[in-house]
Amino acid sequence: MEEVVRLHASSGTTGKQIVVGYTEKDLDTWAECCARALTAAGATKHDFMHVSYGYGLFTGGFGLHGGAEKIGMTIIPVSTGNTQRQINIIKDFGSTYICCTPSYALYLAETMQEMGISKDEIKLKAGLFGAEPWTEEMRQEIESKLGLKALDIYGLTEIIGPGVAFECSEQGGMHINEDHFIVETIDPDTGEVLPEGSQGEIVFTCITKEAFPVIRYRTRDIGILKREKCSCGRTLVKMMKPMGRSDDMLIIRGVNVFPSQVESVLLQLGNTAPYYQLIVDRVNNTDTLEIQVEISPDMFSDTVKSLEDHEKAIKSAVESTLGISAHIRLVEPKSIPRTEGKAVRVVDKRKKG
């Protein structure tokens, strides 16, 4: 322990937090991984980095802070909370890069609109968004509303934190820092190693970590690895955007359902706000799925007939994607809770066991 200079902990999405130690060398390795992610996004020492990830036991804030410091960027360590103040800081300080969860990026865009601030009044060029699964449709939504390039960054506290893998400006998958981490995909049920290009559970082994090295750590993230050459020139293996976590996956009436599939459908339809929740229950021994979808403020004054048509369109699109029926309930603007951290997408009321 005398060599451990810092402790962090996982966000506890799968139960009790996992606590991880870092040596001085581990912190330098982590900063290097995050610096690569920022460099791949085009950042230089002339840029201003607005950090909206939480500082504390959660690894997001300190991870990107360390990477930005290594590049020599001007860091604005805002952390989470006070969204209006964050927007004023982005505007007044001339922030050019931002990092936060993708759901918080959308909340920032929504609040900016309410404050009457247009994307042309801010200088953001790119954002590094991670810590929760998000879809291509959500990327397009963030990019159009904030006027920046939205890039994915991936990591787990148990491996090192954010910076294990990162998107370059090509936005075609995340480069994995293979000089620090060995990556495999396995069949989540049998543990069998799968060939490149197969969808499976991502597994990591740390090869340079000192304080908390893990061997063949199962991430529960479902994804695909590809080793095709990237036009950015990097030769690192890529992982495609994870479609979700094996423990996020819902089994409803025998069908595998990922929240990201629902998000993709809603954003493709484009006539509702990008806020939703899946309410799963069991009635008379049968699983039920209700999807609560927030309507946008301009839809709030629509006729009952118009809203019913929206519900039917969502129901039809969801059912053709998921392969199961779902009850769609349109809810008022701002009625689904906003969060500065990971969005709560699923409420599973079924009794365990």
Side-chain angles (χ1 to χ4, degrees):
M1 277 305 294
E2 62 268 21
E3 290 180 51
V4 172
V5 296
R6 196 193 295 168
L7 295 176
H8 279 289
S10 67
S11 55
T13 48
T14 58
K16 195 167 180 181
Q17 288 182 309
I18 292 169
V19 181
V20 176
Y22 295 75
T23 65
E24 197 70 58
K25 181 173 177 286
D26 290 337
L27 291 178
D28 190 60
T29 299
W30 187 17
E32 171 66 27
C33 288
C34 287
R36 290 177 188 178
L38 285 162
T39 302
T44 71
K45 65 178 184 180
H46 304 294
D47 284 298
F48 287 73
M49 179 66 177
H50 184 102
V51 183
S52 284
Y53 280 124
Y55 282 75
L57 288 175
F58 174 62
T59 51
F62 279 106
L64 271 299
H65 185 114
E69 208 161 48
K70 209 171 227 326
I71 291 172
M73 299 173 80
T74 302
I75 303 163
I76 308 159
V78 187
S79 194
T80 56
N82 204 332
T83 303
Q84 291 197 1
R85 176 172 166 264
Q86 296 236 12
I87 291 161
N88 285 328
I89 288 171
I90 289 167
K91 190 181 168 194
D92 295 346
F93 290 23
S95 310
T96 52
Y97 282 76
I98 185 170
C99 58
C100 59
T101 60
S103 51
Y104 189 57
L106 274 181
Y107 184 39
L108 280 168
E110 182 182 64
T111 309
M112 255 175 63
Q113 195 176 9
E114 287 168 5
M115 292 169 70
I117 295 172
S118 115
K119 63 183 178 185
D120 302 326
E121 294 177 63
I122 59 173
K123 294 181 179 175
L124 290 176
K125 295 190 282 192
L128 281 75
F129 306 118
E132 63 188 15
W134 53 304
T135 57
E136 282 302 316
E137 290 77 17
M138 194 163 180
R139 187 208 299 275
Q140 288 158 23
E141 192 89 1
I142 291 168
E143 289 188 336
S144 69
K145 289 186 171 174
L146 287 177
L148 49 65
K149 196 156 203 171
L151 301 164
D152 212 342
I153 185 165
Y154 175 87
L156 302 90
T157 303
E158 299 91 322
I159 308 301
I160 204 163
V164 173
F166 56 89
E167 268 187 329
C168 62
S169 52
E170 299 300 311
Q171 296 172 307
M174 290 177 279
H175 296 283
I176 294 168
N177 282 309
E178 286 185 275
D179 48 343
H180 298 294
F181 316 106
I182 296 168
V183 64
E184 306 166 275
T185 43
I186 64 164
D187 181 313
D189 297 321
T190 66
E192 176 200 353
V193 178
L194 300 173
E196 183 193 310
S198 305
Q199 182 176 292
E201 183 178 347
I202 307 282
V203 172
F204 282 105
T205 295
C206 299
I207 46 180
T208 57
K209 197 98 175 287
E210 290 182 340
F212 194 92
V214 291
I215 297 173
R216 304 201 72 219
Y217 182 82
R218 294 184 60 165
T219 65
R220 302 180 184 173
D221 286 322
I222 306 297
I224 296 170
L225 299 176
K226 288 187 180 174
R227 199 173 276 284
E228 58 203 25
K229 190 177 177 185
C230 183
S231 50
C232 78
R234 289 175 181 80
T235 56
L236 300 165
V237 68
K238 279 184 183 177
M239 66 183 271
M240 299 302 106
K241 187 185 271 294
M243 69 173 294
R245 292 172 64 93
S246 59
D247 54 355
D248 261 358
M249 187 180 79
L250 296 160
I251 300 177
I252 301 170
R253 301 194 288 278
V255 176
N256 295 351
V257 174
F258 286 97
S260 57
Q261 291 173 295
V262 175
E263 179 180 296
S264 188
V265 167
L266 294 176
L267 288 169
Q268 274 173 6
L269 287 170
N271 52 13
T272 55
Y275 299 101
Y276 65 95
Q277 251 181 359
L278 280 63
I279 315 293
V280 188
D281 209 342
R282 186 167 282 133
V283 179
N284 299 328
N285 296 318
T286 303
D287 292 338
T288 62
L289 172 62
E290 176 180 284
I291 303 173
Q292 296 185 358
V293 183
E294 200 175 283
I295 57 175
S296 53
D298 54 334
M299 281 175 63
F300 196 49
S301 57
D302 282 5
T303 62
V304 172
K305 169 82 170 67
S306 173
L307 293 173
E308 283 174 354
D309 288 345
H310 285 312
E311 272 182 9
K312 282 178 189 165
I314 294 168
K315 185 176 173 67
S316 170
V318 164
E319 288 173 8
S320 67
T321 300
L322 301 183
I324 57 167
S325 62
H327 173 65
I328 308 299
R329 186 154 76 89
L330 298 181
V331 296
E332 291 179 19
K334 295 288 181 114
S335 58
I336 290 175
R338 307 296 191 255
T339 173
E340 290 147 6
K342 300 186 184 192
V344 179
R345 300 298 196 199
V346 178
V347 177
D348 196 338
K349 295 179 175 178
R350 296 176 293 190
K351 290 193 174 82
K352 303 285 183 233

